[in-house]
Amino acid sequence: MLWGSSFLWIKLALHGMSPVQLTAARLAIGAAVLAAVVRARGLRLPRDGATWRALALAAFFANALPYTLFGVGEQSVDSTIAGAINATTPLCTFAFGLLGTSGRGPDAAALGARRVAGLVVGFAGAVLLLAPWDAAHSGTVGGSVACLIASAAYGMSFVYMGRRLVGRGIPPLVLAAGQLIAATAWALLALPFVGRSAVHPHPEVLVAVAALGLGGTGLAYVLNYRLVCDEGPAATSTVTYLMPVTSIALGAVFLGEPMGANLVGTVVILAGVFLAQRRTDKPHLGRPARGSRHRLANIRICHPRAGTLTACSPEPSAQAQPPCS
């Protein structure tokens, strides 16, 4: 609900703010929330320039750009369509990951073919949502494309963060706080150029901005780390499947947006995500090769208060895996 409702709040907030103004406001609130949590946990933000440069680039593609593009998109498309298109994010992540890696091993070819098939199926679902052949959608194609580019930016950012920020000994909560601070700076830089329209602070606009900043931007980051700690990465990934379902339901109930045609495209997209994520290779009993992805499957992100990333064995001991609290 927390993640899927973001598209409803964006639609409501746009009644009184421009996309860039909304992006700046939600990022500033979210950054303030995480900075307060970091301080309460006794952690410190990064101090070296290299980390901040990496965070700034990640913030642009993971926050400033997609938040703005979803706002631009929802000026012409329903929140249900925006939420459904957002389900292509894992497919974009796979696509960018495949561009920079090459599969190896006996199962690599089959796994690679399955993921490519998932990409094709998933993006076919996105085409169904765009419906460029339907004259009734001619005025919304631009907005849908903006949402699709935003999802691609998310995918690119995940690959970049995995390669440049994760595994450097920096607590995940600190990375998230630094990223939102950098993203706020990006949005504030853009405000004088594209965010000078009048703000109309209607009650529903203020509620929507507060919900996006406190919940969808700030609290969502904290809860994500808690969920990974308690339930594991596999269970956390189910958010991908629940977000479009939630966004479509909320848009239909509270905004009166149509569901039927959007559901078909959403189901096709989620089928592609499932196909691309599915694994058939058996777990290795021996030690994985250096650089193997099997190591990533056993990484456990503990509570931000612990401030550690711990690589755990399949049967971790008490010393190898500190408890989350």
Side-chain angles (χ1 to χ4, degrees):
M1 181 67 73
L2 184 64
W3 289 273
S5 64
S6 294
F7 303 97
L8 169 65
W9 297 125
I10 290 172
K11 177 66 77 173
L12 293 176
L14 289 173
H15 292 168
M17 306 178 73
S18 71
V20 174
Q21 291 169 342
L22 173 58
T23 298
R26 66 180 292 189
L27 283 172
I29 295 173
V33 170
L34 286 192
V37 176
V38 166
R39 183 178 180 86
R41 297 293 184 188
L43 302 173
R44 292 184 178 181
L45 292 173
R47 297 185 176 182
D48 61 292
T51 299
W52 277 108
R53 286 191 293 271
L55 284 172
L57 190 56
F60 179 79
F61 286 105
N63 303 105
L65 179 62
Y67 287 4
T68 302
L69 287 176
F70 273 118
V72 171
E74 288 201 46
Q75 288 180 319
S76 59
V77 304
D78 292 341
S79 66
T80 55
I81 293 179
I85 292 177
N86 184 64
T88 63
T89 296
L91 301 174
C92 296
T93 305
F94 294 146
F96 285 115
L98 289 174
L99 291 177
T101 59
S102 58
R104 296 180 181 180
D107 297 326
L111 183 59
R114 189 179 302 111
R115 285 182 170 174
V116 170
L119 291 174
V120 173
V121 171
F123 285 116
V127 173
L128 288 175
L129 290 175
L130 293 173
W133 55 82
D134 189 347
H137 289 76
S138 59
T140 64
V141 171
S144 298
V145 170
C147 294
L148 190 59
I149 295 174
S151 299
Y154 279 141
M156 180 183 295
S157 70
F158 292 150
V159 175
Y160 176 81
M161 289 186 288
R163 295 177 180 175
R164 296 296 303 273
L165 289 170
V166 175
R168 299 182 60 178
I170 304 175
L173 181 59
V174 172
L175 289 176
Q179 183 175 309
L180 289 188
I181 291 172
T184 302
W186 280 115
L188 292 177
L189 286 174
L191 272 179
F193 303 98
V194 291
R196 292 184 294 178
S197 59
V199 176
H200 303 284
H202 306 302
E204 70 272 15
V205 173
L206 296 178
V207 171
V209 172
L212 282 170
L214 294 173
T217 307
L219 182 60
Y221 272 78
V222 179
L223 290 182
N224 185 66
Y225 297 133
R226 180 76 260 178
L227 184 60
V228 172
C229 176
D230 290 343
E231 305 296 338
T236 306
S237 68
T238 58
V239 172
T240 299
Y241 299 92
L242 296 177
M243 281 182 62
V245 176
T246 303
S247 66
I248 289 176
L250 292 176
V253 172
F254 293 102
L255 300 176
E257 297 174 349
M259 294 180 59
N262 297 337
L263 279 176
V264 176
T266 302
V267 170
V268 175
I269 290 174
L270 294 182
V273 172
F274 173 79
L275 188 61
Q277 285 184 332
R278 185 182 178 189
R279 293 177 178 269
T280 59
D281 49 317
K282 297 180 181 179
H284 289 241
L285 297 180
R287 181 181 179 182
R290 184 175 183 179
S292 170
R293 294 182 182 177
H294 293 287
R295 286 185 177 182
L296 299 179
N298 292 325
I299 290 181
R300 181 171 181 263
I301 301 177
C302 287
H303 192 272
R305 186 170 63 187
T308 58
L309 281 172
T310 306
C312 305
S313 62
E315 297 180 5
S317 64
Q319 291 92 350
Q321 182 172 309
C324 298
S325 58

PDB file of all heavy atoms in Angstrom, residues 155-192:
ATOM      1  N   GLY A 155      15.750   1.347 -13.370  1.00  0.00           N
ATOM      2  CA  GLY A 155      16.540   0.157 -13.680  1.00  0.00           C
ATOM      3  C   GLY A 155      18.023   0.457 -13.813  1.00  0.00           C
ATOM      4  O   GLY A 155      18.866  -0.270 -13.286  1.00  0.00           O
ATOM      5  N   MET A 156      18.352   1.549 -14.502  1.00  0.00           N
ATOM      6  CA  MET A 156      19.754   1.945 -14.644  1.00  0.00           C
ATOM      7  C   MET A 156      20.376   2.254 -13.286  1.00  0.00           C
ATOM      8  O   MET A 156      21.526   1.889 -13.006  1.00  0.00           O
ATOM      9  CB  MET A 156      19.857   3.163 -15.560  1.00  0.00           C
ATOM     10  CG  MET A 156      21.284   3.656 -15.776  1.00  0.00           C
ATOM     11  SD  MET A 156      21.343   5.157 -16.802  1.00  0.00           S
ATOM     12  CE  MET A 156      20.731   4.513 -18.355  1.00  0.00           C
ATOM     13  N   SER A 157      19.608   2.907 -12.422  1.00  0.00           N
ATOM     14  CA  SER A 157      20.150   3.298 -11.115  1.00  0.00           C
ATOM     15  C   SER A 157      20.453   2.078 -10.256  1.00  0.00           C
ATOM     16  O   SER A 157      21.453   2.057  -9.529  1.00  0.00           O
ATOM     17  CB  SER A 157      19.164   4.210 -10.386  1.00  0.00           C
ATOM     18  OG  SER A 157      18.002   3.502  -9.959  1.00  0.00           O
ATOM     19  N   PHE A 158      19.596   1.041 -10.317  1.00  0.00           N
ATOM     20  CA  PHE A 158      19.840  -0.156  -9.521  1.00  0.00           C
ATOM     21  C   PHE A 158      21.147  -0.820  -9.925  1.00  0.00           C
ATOM     22  O   PHE A 158      21.927  -1.260  -9.079  1.00  0.00           O
ATOM     23  CB  PHE A 158      18.680  -1.140  -9.674  1.00  0.00           C
ATOM     24  CG  PHE A 158      17.399  -0.657  -9.063  1.00  0.00           C
ATOM     25  CD1 PHE A 158      16.180  -1.048  -9.588  1.00  0.00           C
ATOM     26  CD2 PHE A 158      17.407   0.184  -7.969  1.00  0.00           C
ATOM     27  CE1 PHE A 158      14.992  -0.609  -9.033  1.00  0.00           C
ATOM     28  CE2 PHE A 158      16.230   0.635  -7.396  1.00  0.00           C
ATOM     29  CZ  PHE A 158      15.014   0.238  -7.931  1.00  0.00           C
ATOM     30  N   VAL A 159      21.387  -0.906 -11.235  1.00  0.00           N
ATOM     31  CA  VAL A 159      22.627  -1.504 -11.716  1.00  0.00           C
ATOM     32  C   VAL A 159      23.823  -0.666 -11.285  1.00  0.00           C
ATOM     33  O   VAL A 159      24.838  -1.187 -10.804  1.00  0.00           O
ATOM     34  CB  VAL A 159      22.596  -1.649 -13.248  1.00  0.00           C
ATOM     35  CG1 VAL A 159      23.938  -2.154 -13.771  1.00  0.00           C
ATOM     36  CG2 VAL A 159      21.480  -2.607 -13.668  1.00  0.00           C
ATOM     37  N   TYR A 160      23.703   0.656 -11.416  1.00  0.00           N
ATOM     38  CA  TYR A 160      24.801   1.542 -11.044  1.00  0.00           C
ATOM     39  C   TYR A 160      25.107   1.461  -9.556  1.00  0.00           C
ATOM     40  O   TYR A 160      26.271   1.353  -9.142  1.00  0.00           O
ATOM     41  CB  TYR A 160      24.466   2.981 -11.426  1.00  0.00           C
ATOM     42  CG  TYR A 160      25.512   3.986 -11.000  1.00  0.00           C
ATOM     43  CD1 TYR A 160      26.666   4.167 -11.757  1.00  0.00           C
ATOM     44  CD2 TYR A 160      25.360   4.740  -9.844  1.00  0.00           C
ATOM     45  CE1 TYR A 160      27.639   5.077 -11.370  1.00  0.00           C
ATOM     46  CE2 TYR A 160      26.320   5.652  -9.447  1.00  0.00           C
ATOM     47  CZ  TYR A 160      27.464   5.816 -10.216  1.00  0.00           C
ATOM     48  OH  TYR A 160      28.434   6.710  -9.816  1.00  0.00           O
ATOM     49  N   MET A 161      24.064   1.505  -8.722  1.00  0.00           N
ATOM     50  CA  MET A 161      24.279   1.453  -7.277  1.00  0.00           C
ATOM     51  C   MET A 161      24.891   0.123  -6.854  1.00  0.00           C
ATOM     52  O   MET A 161      25.726   0.075  -5.942  1.00  0.00           O
ATOM     53  CB  MET A 161      22.963   1.701  -6.537  1.00  0.00           C
ATOM     54  CG  MET A 161      22.482   3.131  -6.629  1.00  0.00           C
ATOM     55  SD  MET A 161      21.011   3.466  -5.614  1.00  0.00           S
ATOM     56  CE  MET A 161      19.748   2.598  -6.547  1.00  0.00           C
ATOM     57  N   GLY A 162      24.471  -0.962  -7.513  1.00  0.00           N
ATOM     58  CA  GLY A 162      25.043  -2.260  -7.186  1.00  0.00           C
ATOM     59  C   GLY A 162      26.527  -2.339  -7.479  1.00  0.00           C
ATOM     60  O   GLY A 162      27.257  -3.079  -6.813  1.00  0.00           O
ATOM     61  N   ARG A 163      26.968  -1.572  -8.446  1.00  0.00           N
ATOM     62  CA  ARG A 163      28.382  -1.630  -8.846  1.00  0.00           C
ATOM     63  C   ARG A 163      29.244  -0.571  -8.177  1.00  0.00           C
ATOM     64  O   ARG A 163      30.442  -0.768  -7.987  1.00  0.00           O
ATOM     65  CB  ARG A 163      28.493  -1.475 -10.367  1.00  0.00           C
ATOM     66  CG  ARG A 163      27.865  -2.632 -11.123  1.00  0.00           C
ATOM     67  CD  ARG A 163      27.927  -2.417 -12.623  1.00  0.00           C
ATOM     68  NE  ARG A 163      27.314  -3.530 -13.339  1.00  0.00           N
ATOM     69  CZ  ARG A 163      27.149  -3.570 -14.652  1.00  0.00           C
ATOM     70  NH1 ARG A 163      27.544  -2.547 -15.400  1.00  0.00           N
ATOM     71  NH2 ARG A 163      26.584  -4.616 -15.225  1.00  0.00           N
ATOM     72  N   ARG A 164      28.654   0.577  -7.823  1.00  0.00           N
ATOM     73  CA  ARG A 164      29.465   1.679  -7.332  1.00  0.00           C
ATOM     74  C   ARG A 164      29.252   2.024  -5.864  1.00  0.00           C
ATOM     75  O   ARG A 164      30.099   2.709  -5.274  1.00  0.00           O
ATOM     76  CB  ARG A 164      29.170   2.927  -8.181  1.00  0.00           C
ATOM     77  CG  ARG A 164      29.566   2.808  -9.635  1.00  0.00           C
ATOM     78  CD  ARG A 164      31.075   2.655  -9.795  1.00  0.00           C
ATOM     79  NE  ARG A 164      31.773   3.758  -9.171  1.00  0.00           N
ATOM     80  CZ  ARG A 164      32.044   4.906  -9.776  1.00  0.00           C
ATOM     81  NH1 ARG A 164      31.655   5.093 -11.033  1.00  0.00           N
ATOM     82  NH2 ARG A 164      32.688   5.862  -9.145  1.00  0.00           N
ATOM     83  N   LEU A 165      28.139   1.591  -5.249  1.00  0.00           N
ATOM     84  CA  LEU A 165      27.852   2.011  -3.882  1.00  0.00           C
ATOM     85  C   LEU A 165      27.726   0.852  -2.909  1.00  0.00           C
ATOM     86  O   LEU A 165      28.151   0.971  -1.757  1.00  0.00           O
ATOM     87  CB  LEU A 165      26.552   2.834  -3.858  1.00  0.00           C
ATOM     88  CG  LEU A 165      26.657   4.224  -4.495  1.00  0.00           C
ATOM     89  CD1 LEU A 165      25.282   4.851  -4.646  1.00  0.00           C
ATOM     90  CD2 LEU A 165      27.559   5.125  -3.670  1.00  0.00           C
ATOM     91  N   VAL A 166      27.137  -0.257  -3.337  1.00  0.00           N
ATOM     92  CA  VAL A 166      26.946  -1.393  -2.440  1.00  0.00           C
ATOM     93  C   VAL A 166      28.270  -2.115  -2.213  1.00  0.00           C
ATOM     94  O   VAL A 166      29.091  -2.229  -3.123  1.00  0.00           O
ATOM     95  CB  VAL A 166      25.898  -2.363  -3.024  1.00  0.00           C
ATOM     96  CG1 VAL A 166      25.779  -3.619  -2.168  1.00  0.00           C
ATOM     97  CG2 VAL A 166      24.547  -1.667  -3.124  1.00  0.00           C
ATOM     98  N   GLY A 167      28.480  -2.593  -0.996  1.00  0.00           N
ATOM     99  CA  GLY A 167      29.679  -3.364  -0.695  1.00  0.00           C
ATOM    100  C   GLY A 167      30.886  -2.536  -0.340  1.00  0.00           C
ATOM    101  O   GLY A 167      32.007  -3.050  -0.335  1.00  0.00           O
ATOM    102  N   ARG A 168      30.683  -1.259  -0.023  1.00  0.00           N
ATOM    103  CA  ARG A 168      31.804  -0.396   0.344  1.00  0.00           C
ATOM    104  C   ARG A 168      31.876  -0.165   1.852  1.00  0.00           C
ATOM    105  O   ARG A 168      32.596   0.714   2.312  1.00  0.00           O
ATOM    106  CB  ARG A 168      31.682   0.949  -0.388  1.00  0.00           C
ATOM    107  CG  ARG A 168      31.716   0.825  -1.906  1.00  0.00           C
ATOM    108  CD  ARG A 168      31.634   2.167  -2.590  1.00  0.00           C
ATOM    109  NE  ARG A 168      32.723   3.052  -2.219  1.00  0.00           N
ATOM    110  CZ  ARG A 168      32.886   4.272  -2.727  1.00  0.00           C
ATOM    111  NH1 ARG A 168      32.020   4.734  -3.609  1.00  0.00           N
ATOM    112  NH2 ARG A 168      33.892   5.016  -2.346  1.00  0.00           N
ATOM    113  N   GLY A 169      31.103  -0.937   2.608  1.00  0.00           N
ATOM    114  CA  GLY A 169      31.134  -0.814   4.058  1.00  0.00           C
ATOM    115  C   GLY A 169      30.321   0.330   4.609  1.00  0.00           C
ATOM    116  O   GLY A 169      30.445   0.665   5.793  1.00  0.00           O
ATOM    117  N   ILE A 170      29.474   0.951   3.767  1.00  0.00           N
ATOM    118  CA  ILE A 170      28.637   2.061   4.217  1.00  0.00           C
ATOM    119  C   ILE A 170      27.249   1.524   4.547  1.00  0.00           C
ATOM    120  O   ILE A 170      26.653   0.822   3.733  1.00  0.00           O
ATOM    121  CB  ILE A 170      28.531   3.145   3.129  1.00  0.00           C
ATOM    122  CG1 ILE A 170      29.923   3.627   2.726  1.00  0.00           C
ATOM    123  CG2 ILE A 170      27.692   4.314   3.621  1.00  0.00           C
ATOM    124  CD1 ILE A 170      29.913   4.604   1.571  1.00  0.00           C
ATOM    125  N   PRO A 171      26.719   1.809   5.734  1.00  0.00           N
ATOM    126  CA  PRO A 171      25.385   1.315   6.095  1.00  0.00           C
ATOM    127  C   PRO A 171      24.345   1.720   5.059  1.00  0.00           C
ATOM    128  O   PRO A 171      24.360   2.849   4.555  1.00  0.00           O
ATOM    129  CB  PRO A 171      25.118   1.975   7.446  1.00  0.00           C
ATOM    130  CG  PRO A 171      26.476   2.262   8.001  1.00  0.00           C
ATOM    131  CD  PRO A 171      27.339   2.586   6.826  1.00  0.00           C
ATOM    132  N   PRO A 172      23.430   0.826   4.710  1.00  0.00           N
ATOM    133  CA  PRO A 172      22.408   1.137   3.702  1.00  0.00           C
ATOM    134  C   PRO A 172      21.589   2.374   4.031  1.00  0.00           C
ATOM    135  O   PRO A 172      21.238   3.145   3.147  1.00  0.00           O
ATOM    136  CB  PRO A 172      21.533  -0.120   3.686  1.00  0.00           C
ATOM    137  CG  PRO A 172      22.418  -1.206   4.190  1.00  0.00           C
ATOM    138  CD  PRO A 172      23.332  -0.571   5.176  1.00  0.00           C
ATOM    139  N   LEU A 173      21.267   2.580   5.302  1.00  0.00           N
ATOM    140  CA  LEU A 173      20.481   3.749   5.680  1.00  0.00           C
ATOM    141  C   LEU A 173      21.240   5.039   5.395  1.00  0.00           C
ATOM    142  O   LEU A 173      20.660   6.039   4.965  1.00  0.00           O
ATOM    143  CB  LEU A 173      20.108   3.667   7.161  1.00  0.00           C
ATOM    144  CG  LEU A 173      19.264   4.821   7.705  1.00  0.00           C
ATOM    145  CD1 LEU A 173      17.949   4.926   6.953  1.00  0.00           C
ATOM    146  CD2 LEU A 173      19.014   4.649   9.185  1.00  0.00           C
ATOM    147  N   VAL A 174      22.542   5.017   5.612  1.00  0.00           N
ATOM    148  CA  VAL A 174      23.370   6.192   5.333  1.00  0.00           C
ATOM    149  C   VAL A 174      23.388   6.465   3.835  1.00  0.00           C
ATOM    150  O   VAL A 174      23.297   7.621   3.391  1.00  0.00           O
ATOM    151  CB  VAL A 174      24.794   5.988   5.876  1.00  0.00           C
ATOM    152  CG1 VAL A 174      25.715   7.111   5.422  1.00  0.00           C
ATOM    153  CG2 VAL A 174      24.776   5.898   7.397  1.00  0.00           C
ATOM    154  N   LEU A 175      23.514   5.405   3.022  1.00  0.00           N
ATOM    155  CA  LEU A 175      23.481   5.576   1.576  1.00  0.00           C
ATOM    156  C   LEU A 175      22.150   6.178   1.130  1.00  0.00           C
ATOM    157  O   LEU A 175      22.116   7.080   0.285  1.00  0.00           O
ATOM    158  CB  LEU A 175      23.698   4.237   0.880  1.00  0.00           C
ATOM    159  CG  LEU A 175      25.102   3.640   0.948  1.00  0.00           C
ATOM    160  CD1 LEU A 175      25.124   2.262   0.301  1.00  0.00           C
ATOM    161  CD2 LEU A 175      26.114   4.562   0.270  1.00  0.00           C
ATOM    162  N   ALA A 176      21.046   5.677   1.681  1.00  0.00           N
ATOM    163  CA  ALA A 176      19.730   6.171   1.302  1.00  0.00           C
ATOM    164  C   ALA A 176      19.563   7.638   1.679  1.00  0.00           C
ATOM    165  O   ALA A 176      19.044   8.443   0.899  1.00  0.00           O
ATOM    166  CB  ALA A 176      18.647   5.325   1.962  1.00  0.00           C
ATOM    167  N   ALA A 177      20.015   8.006   2.887  1.00  0.00           N
ATOM    168  CA  ALA A 177      19.906   9.403   3.320  1.00  0.00           C
ATOM    169  C   ALA A 177      20.749  10.305   2.432  1.00  0.00           C
ATOM    170  O   ALA A 177      20.291  11.374   1.995  1.00  0.00           O
ATOM    171  CB  ALA A 177      20.341   9.524   4.780  1.00  0.00           C
ATOM    172  N   GLY A 178      21.983   9.896   2.169  1.00  0.00           N
ATOM    173  CA  GLY A 178      22.843  10.695   1.305  1.00  0.00           C
ATOM    174  C   GLY A 178      22.268  10.828  -0.096  1.00  0.00           C
ATOM    175  O   GLY A 178      22.350  11.889  -0.721  1.00  0.00           O
ATOM    176  N   GLN A 179      21.666   9.758  -0.578  1.00  0.00           N
ATOM    177  CA  GLN A 179      21.081   9.778  -1.918  1.00  0.00           C
ATOM    178  C   GLN A 179      19.910  10.754  -1.990  1.00  0.00           C
ATOM    179  O   GLN A 179      19.788  11.514  -2.955  1.00  0.00           O
ATOM    180  CB  GLN A 179      20.622   8.376  -2.290  1.00  0.00           C
ATOM    181  CG  GLN A 179      20.066   8.251  -3.698  1.00  0.00           C
ATOM    182  CD  GLN A 179      19.752   6.810  -4.029  1.00  0.00           C
ATOM    183  OE1 GLN A 179      20.580   5.923  -3.853  1.00  0.00           O
ATOM    184  NE2 GLN A 179      18.545   6.569  -4.514  1.00  0.00           N
ATOM    185  N   LEU A 180      19.053  10.764  -0.978  1.00  0.00           N
ATOM    186  CA  LEU A 180      17.921  11.692  -0.984  1.00  0.00           C
ATOM    187  C   LEU A 180      18.376  13.138  -0.818  1.00  0.00           C
ATOM    188  O   LEU A 180      17.785  14.056  -1.388  1.00  0.00           O
ATOM    189  CB  LEU A 180      16.925  11.322   0.111  1.00  0.00           C
ATOM    190  CG  LEU A 180      16.106  10.050  -0.107  1.00  0.00           C
ATOM    191  CD1 LEU A 180      15.026   9.918   0.965  1.00  0.00           C
ATOM    192  CD2 LEU A 180      15.474  10.022  -1.483  1.00  0.00           C
ATOM    193  N   ILE A 181      19.433  13.357  -0.045  1.00  0.00           N
ATOM    194  CA  ILE A 181      19.975  14.716   0.091  1.00  0.00           C
ATOM    195  C   ILE A 181      20.497  15.208  -1.254  1.00  0.00           C
ATOM    196  O   ILE A 181      20.235  16.344  -1.675  1.00  0.00           O
ATOM    197  CB  ILE A 181      21.081  14.742   1.155  1.00  0.00           C
ATOM    198  CG1 ILE A 181      20.479  14.514   2.549  1.00  0.00           C
ATOM    199  CG2 ILE A 181      21.840  16.067   1.115  1.00  0.00           C
ATOM    200  CD1 ILE A 181      21.505  14.334   3.648  1.00  0.00           C
ATOM    201  N   ALA A 182      21.237  14.334  -1.957  1.00  0.00           N
ATOM    202  CA  ALA A 182      21.756  14.707  -3.280  1.00  0.00           C
ATOM    203  C   ALA A 182      20.614  14.930  -4.272  1.00  0.00           C
ATOM    204  O   ALA A 182      20.666  15.854  -5.096  1.00  0.00           O
ATOM    205  CB  ALA A 182      22.702  13.621  -3.781  1.00  0.00           C
ATOM    206  N   ALA A 183      19.587  14.077  -4.205  1.00  0.00           N
ATOM    207  CA  ALA A 183      18.450  14.224  -5.113  1.00  0.00           C
ATOM    208  C   ALA A 183      17.706  15.534  -4.857  1.00  0.00           C
ATOM    209  O   ALA A 183      17.239  16.190  -5.800  1.00  0.00           O
ATOM    210  CB  ALA A 183      17.494  13.042  -4.957  1.00  0.00           C
ATOM    211  N   THR A 184      17.598  15.936  -3.580  1.00  0.00           N
ATOM    212  CA  THR A 184      16.972  17.215  -3.254  1.00  0.00           C
ATOM    213  C   THR A 184      17.747  18.362  -3.883  1.00  0.00           C
ATOM    214  O   THR A 184      17.159  19.321  -4.401  1.00  0.00           O
ATOM    215  CB  THR A 184      16.905  17.398  -1.726  1.00  0.00           C
ATOM    216  OG1 THR A 184      16.180  16.313  -1.150  1.00  0.00           O
ATOM    217  CG2 THR A 184      16.221  18.707  -1.371  1.00  0.00           C
ATOM    218  N   ALA A 185      19.068  18.262  -3.859  1.00  0.00           N
ATOM    219  CA  ALA A 185      19.897  19.301  -4.474  1.00  0.00           C
ATOM    220  C   ALA A 185      19.638  19.381  -5.981  1.00  0.00           C
ATOM    221  O   ALA A 185      19.539  20.479  -6.546  1.00  0.00           O
ATOM    222  CB  ALA A 185      21.374  19.016  -4.202  1.00  0.00           C
ATOM    223  N   TRP A 186      19.510  18.224  -6.647  1.00  0.00           N
ATOM    224  CA  TRP A 186      19.196  18.210  -8.080  1.00  0.00           C
ATOM    225  C   TRP A 186      17.875  18.938  -8.341  1.00  0.00           C
ATOM    226  O   TRP A 186      17.765  19.754  -9.270  1.00  0.00           O
ATOM    227  CB  TRP A 186      19.098  16.781  -8.594  1.00  0.00           C
ATOM    228  CG  TRP A 186      20.388  16.082  -8.880  1.00  0.00           C
ATOM    229  CD1 TRP A 186      20.886  14.989  -8.237  1.00  0.00           C
ATOM    230  CD2 TRP A 186      21.332  16.399  -9.900  1.00  0.00           C
ATOM    231  NE1 TRP A 186      22.088  14.608  -8.783  1.00  0.00           N
ATOM    232  CE2 TRP A 186      22.385  15.455  -9.802  1.00  0.00           C
ATOM    233  CE3 TRP A 186      21.398  17.391 -10.876  1.00  0.00           C
ATOM    234  CZ2 TRP A 186      23.487  15.475 -10.663  1.00  0.00           C
ATOM    235  CZ3 TRP A 186      22.498  17.419 -11.737  1.00  0.00           C
ATOM    236  CH2 TRP A 186      23.527  16.472 -11.626  1.00  0.00           C
ATOM    237  N   ALA A 187      16.853  18.619  -7.560  1.00  0.00           N
ATOM    238  CA  ALA A 187      15.533  19.214  -7.767  1.00  0.00           C
ATOM    239  C   ALA A 187      15.554  20.718  -7.513  1.00  0.00           C
ATOM    240  O   ALA A 187      14.927  21.494  -8.251  1.00  0.00           O
ATOM    241  CB  ALA A 187      14.504  18.529  -6.872  1.00  0.00           C
ATOM    242  N   LEU A 188      16.265  21.144  -6.472  1.00  0.00           N
ATOM    243  CA  LEU A 188      16.341  22.568  -6.171  1.00  0.00           C
ATOM    244  C   LEU A 188      17.072  23.327  -7.268  1.00  0.00           C
ATOM    245  O   LEU A 188      16.738  24.487  -7.561  1.00  0.00           O
ATOM    246  CB  LEU A 188      17.033  22.782  -4.819  1.00  0.00           C
ATOM    247  CG  LEU A 188      16.257  22.288  -3.593  1.00  0.00           C
ATOM    248  CD1 LEU A 188      17.084  22.485  -2.329  1.00  0.00           C
ATOM    249  CD2 LEU A 188      14.916  23.003  -3.477  1.00  0.00           C
ATOM    250  N   LEU A 189      18.057  22.694  -7.891  1.00  0.00           N
ATOM    251  CA  LEU A 189      18.759  23.334  -9.010  1.00  0.00           C
ATOM    252  C   LEU A 189      17.830  23.549 -10.195  1.00  0.00           C
ATOM    253  O   LEU A 189      17.972  24.523 -10.947  1.00  0.00           O
ATOM    254  CB  LEU A 189      19.952  22.473  -9.437  1.00  0.00           C
ATOM    255  CG  LEU A 189      21.181  22.476  -8.517  1.00  0.00           C
ATOM    256  CD1 LEU A 189      22.215  21.467  -9.004  1.00  0.00           C
ATOM    257  CD2 LEU A 189      21.798  23.873  -8.468  1.00  0.00           C
ATOM    258  N   ALA A 190      16.877  22.648 -10.379  1.00  0.00           N
ATOM    259  CA  ALA A 190      15.968  22.751 -11.528  1.00  0.00           C
ATOM    260  C   ALA A 190      14.828  23.730 -11.297  1.00  0.00           C
ATOM    261  O   ALA A 190      14.238  24.242 -12.255  1.00  0.00           O
ATOM    262  CB  ALA A 190      15.395  21.372 -11.865  1.00  0.00           C
ATOM    263  N   LEU A 191      14.492  23.993 -10.032  1.00  0.00           N
ATOM    264  CA  LEU A 191      13.330  24.832  -9.718  1.00  0.00           C
ATOM    265  C   LEU A 191      13.356  26.215 -10.387  1.00  0.00           C
ATOM    266  O   LEU A 191      12.335  26.642 -10.944  1.00  0.00           O
ATOM    267  CB  LEU A 191      13.201  24.995  -8.200  1.00  0.00           C
ATOM    268  CG  LEU A 191      12.399  23.931  -7.463  1.00  0.00           C
ATOM    269  CD1 LEU A 191      12.383  24.227  -5.967  1.00  0.00           C
ATOM    270  CD2 LEU A 191      10.964  23.878  -7.985  1.00  0.00           C
ATOM    271  N   PRO A 192      14.473  26.951 -10.377  1.00  0.00           N
ATOM    272  CA  PRO A 192      14.452  28.293 -10.983  1.00  0.00           C
ATOM    273  C   PRO A 192      14.168  28.276 -12.483  1.00  0.00           C
ATOM    274  O   PRO A 192      13.750  29.296 -13.040  1.00  0.00           O
ATOM    275  CB  PRO A 192      15.864  28.827 -10.693  1.00  0.00           C
ATOM    276  CG  PRO A 192      16.346  28.023  -9.539  1.00  0.00           C
ATOM    277  CD  PRO A 192      15.758  26.667  -9.731  1.00  0.00           C
TER     278      PRO A 192
END
